[in-house]
Amino acid sequence: MRPHEQALRYLFSDVQYLKGIGPAKAKVLKESGIQNVLDLFFHIPRKYLDRTQITPIGELAEGTVATVVGEVVSFGITGRRARRFIVNLQDDSGSLELVWFSGYKYLTDLFSPGDILAVTGRVGVYNGFQISHPDFEIISDRDDEAIHTRRIIPIYPETASLKRIGLHSRGLRKIIRPALDNLEQIKADTLPESLRREFGLLELTKAISQTHFPDNFKSAEEGHRRLAFEELFYLELLLAARQIKRTTQESGISFPRPKVLGRQLLDNLKKIYGGKFQLTNAQKRVLGEIYDDMAKPHPMNRLLQGDVGSGKTLVAILTMLGAVEAGYQAALMAPTEILAEQHGYAIVKLLEGMNIESVVFTGSISSRERENALKNIANGRIKIVIGTHTLIQEKMKFNKLGLAVIDEQHRFGVAQRASLSAKGQHPDILVMTATPIPRTLAMTLYGDLDVSVIDEMPPGRGAIKTAFVPLEKRTGLYEFLRSEVKAGRQAYIVYPLVEESEKSDLKAARESYERFSTEIFPELRLGLIHGKLKGTEKNKVMDDFRKGYIDILIGTTVIEVGLDVPNATIMIIEHVERFGLSQLHQLRGRIGRGKNKSYCFLLSDRNLSEDSEKRINIICSTQDGFKIAEADLAIRGPGEIMGTRQHGLPELRVANLTDSYILGLARKSAFAVISDDNHLLKPENHLLREVLIRKFSNKIKYSKTA
Ligand code: ADP
Ligand code: MG
């Protein structure tokens, strides 16, 4: 057996064969995503405690941070007025009091006299030495000390279920240590030496030992870097392999460059805009990329990224015309009915006189229209179909679907995108998003996509002034709104809508609508829109707003995406603390679309948390979606925002997708390897192939589209 084969066999062996793990523990570990030994090693500490120096209690000094190991003598709640929980700890040199001011119930059940504790914290003096709310750990006996003290100690992410079976940090250390000892015997690696050398990465064994039981903080970081690289490298290798598979497959449609329809559309736009209309340079460039890609014989799989209001819809329409001119049908799928209607509205207006049949096919289409539409989609008379999830219903049959566009694609799962694509014979796919994320990250999250970016706004956009308005200034704000409406502008007032509390949110929006219509703005025309309205009612309200029959539109966040009413220049966002950054950015993107100056006002009647204040400061200080997305990544972390799971990718344990530097390196080298050796068949790639297969074989399905 080659040495790496033995190592791989060990690394990918089931956790249940490890020393100290019985069936119960194995079950919980697997539920937490730890299937094999390598997963266990990739379950990395969330932080470390420096227990290198153990100070005898007798030598403690006030004000220093110290680590002490001692025995519990007694414990309990004391104090009448200021109740607190005390533990008296003793070693050969003296005694120390640990004190907590909360969490009594939990603490009472925790200790027994005679327990050995390792304690870290800042030393105070109050009737002798005292540490309040220390980091502490119960060490079962003096033998255990070797793993848990006198060194830098790993503290792992803990979950209730892991704790329940004794796999808190101490328990995990006790199984990781011997597993690591085994690995040290085998001495082999999951990355070839050439790669390690190129990027200055630690060997596997060293990386794991320094990640879990580091000699110092710097070497822990080195360990992380190696594991992060490995994780990203194999992920990118998978993506590269998928991309090669797609682009070497010649089964797609090769569309000729459109000649007629695009020109007609631009003529229409010139009419609408009074002769002055021009695509932005970014739109032109992106369209060039798309048409080139559509001309190729393999299916296109492209992400179009552009900030809110950058003109993606127009690019999407021109893309669809490319398919239509070649005799195919095109579909546009949007996440909400309102957005689908909005796109339908734009398409009908823009394609006037071009003799292209289109239909908006949503859940609220009448049953007669529905039957009719289904028929004409199936026989090919209807060329452009706009809809929501309705497009992937079973009954929906296309005659010749050549292109599918998916708007706000992060709202759809991989499976839904794949189902739409399955409605045709390898149609070209264009997915669009307004969530601006770094390019490498986008390509990683969205799989093997190619990326086009619109990085320029159409000309003549008015600026948006954004401000937080304190309670006492509301009256003034309403007066301002009134004067703007009198000057001919329109406004949005937005309420949050979170699913769990949907009912009460709806009530809030309705009640405010009542109050605004009767008490505050009785002389103005108000409209109400929310998710519980029927589709036709929603459309009527939207239409009235678009036509200017409504001055102020009050709504829940259903207006978040896609609305395009350039005359609307004011947005008031209520309960701003309940919105995320990117949501605020999307919402605000509804205004600032015309030549008039726009205003976005943020309101709250709560005491704001630190995070809320941060978000508000960011949104007030910039309109740049890229900066906002980066701040959002920093506050929330990428997992929560983009959920790698949803994208059909394996979960990352070590790497941080915000680390675009390592991600870039990993991606570049992985793609280089695959382009040189598509199927990893060369002898020097043997290791890569084996690891790749083992890493992903049972974790993710190779999905058709990412
Ligand atoms: P996105 O979908 O990227 O958020 P939209 O496609 O809705 O943006 O475009 C926003 C607005 O800008 C629309 O009113 C659209 O008609 C207009 N627009 C798009 N491209 C141009 C352009 N080249 N010049 C002027 N206005 C444009
Ligand atoms: Mg859009």
Side-chain angles (χ1 to χ4, degrees), residues 273 277-280 283 308-313 458 461 564 593:
Y273 281 79
F277 188 86
Q278 260 207 319
L279 290 177
T280 62
Q283 283 172 319
V308 199
S310 62
K312 294 186 294 298
T313 308
R461 289 288 165 85
D564 187 21
R593 290 178 164 242

Side-chain angles (χ1 to χ4, degrees), residues 241-497:
R242 277 193 202 163
Q243 190 178 49
I244 279 288
K245 185 160 173 272
R246 177 172 61 83
T247 53
T248 50
Q249 145 195 2
E250 303 248 318
S251 54
I253 307 156
S254 174
F255 294 98
R257 240 173 206 273
K259 297 212 173 67
V260 188
L261 295 178
R263 174 120 334 125
Q264 283 182 17
L265 174 63
L266 292 180
D267 286 345
N268 276 356
L269 278 163
K270 286 207 173 110
K271 264 185 242 152
I272 295 168
Y273 281 79
K276 286 199 302 268
F277 188 86
Q278 260 207 319
L279 290 177
T280 62
N281 286 328
Q283 283 172 319
K284 283 185 200 154
R285 174 175 42 78
V286 156
L287 262 176
E289 291 165 7
I290 293 173
Y291 286 148
D292 282 349
D293 205 358
M294 286 176 76
K296 292 183 183 153
H298 61 255
M300 171 169 83
N301 201 15
R302 185 169 284 273
L303 172 71
L304 174 58
Q305 193 182 311
D307 207 346
V308 199
S310 62
K312 294 186 294 298
T313 308
L314 194 52
V315 171
I317 296 173
L318 283 160
T319 305
M320 292 196 283
L321 290 183
V324 171
E325 188 164 316
Y328 286 85
Q329 290 170 300
L332 170 56
M333 182 161 79
T336 65
E337 283 196 12
I338 291 195
L339 187 47
E341 290 291 346
Q342 169 75 33
H343 285 318
Y345 173 85
I347 286 172
V348 167
K349 191 168 110 185
L350 293 176
L351 302 192
E352 206 181 308
M354 288 169 60
N355 203 15
I356 297 172
E357 268 212 55
S358 64
V359 69
V360 177
F361 192 90
T362 62
S364 48
I365 192 171
S366 76
S367 60
R368 226 189 65 228
E369 285 171 325
R370 190 184 134 85
E371 290 313 312
N372 227 349
L374 285 173
K375 194 180 84 203
N376 288 319
I377 294 167
N379 67 23
R381 261 192 59 190
I382 293 180
K383 297 296 180 200
I384 296 182
V385 186
I386 306 130
T388 54
H389 296 85
T390 47
L391 297 189
I392 52 181
Q393 286 173 356
E394 199 156 328
K395 285 211 167 138
M396 175 64 70
K397 298 231 157 53
F398 287 85
N399 183 43
K400 211 178 164 193
L401 180 65
L403 172 82
V405 181
I406 297 160
D407 194 14
E408 304 295 338
Q409 66 88 29
H410 55 279
R411 299 211 175 183
F412 294 99
V414 188
Q416 290 164 323
R417 302 201 293 267
S419 329
L420 183 56
S421 151
K423 296 279 179 190
Q425 291 287 329
H426 306 288
D428 281 3
I429 306 280
L430 181 70
V431 302
M432 307 200 287
T433 185
T435 310
I437 44 179
R439 201 180 173 91
T440 324
L441 178 55
M443 292 190 282
T444 299
L445 281 175
Y446 304 130
D448 66 344
L449 296 179
D450 298 301
V451 181
S452 288
V453 183
I454 305 185
D455 51 6
E456 181 190 0
M457 285 288 177
R461 289 288 165 85
I464 302 178
K465 185 177 159 49
T466 306
F468 181 77
V469 180
L471 272 178
E472 65 273 16
K473 296 210 170 140
R474 282 197 183 200
T475 323
L477 171 61
Y478 296 147
E479 280 319 305
F480 177 72
L481 197 158
R482 192 188 315 276
S483 68
E484 286 288 299
V485 170
K486 295 244 158 88
R489 307 284 94 76
Q490 288 167 284
Y492 298 103
I493 301 180
V494 184
Y495 286 81
L497 182 95

Side-chain angles (χ1 to χ4, degrees), residues 505-521:
D505 284 331
L506 195 55
K507 192 159 153 253
R510 275 199 188 123
E511 281 172 1
S512 313
Y513 171 73
E514 289 301 323
R515 198 166 53 88
F516 279 117
S517 345
T518 54
E519 291 169 27
I520 304 177
F521 301 117

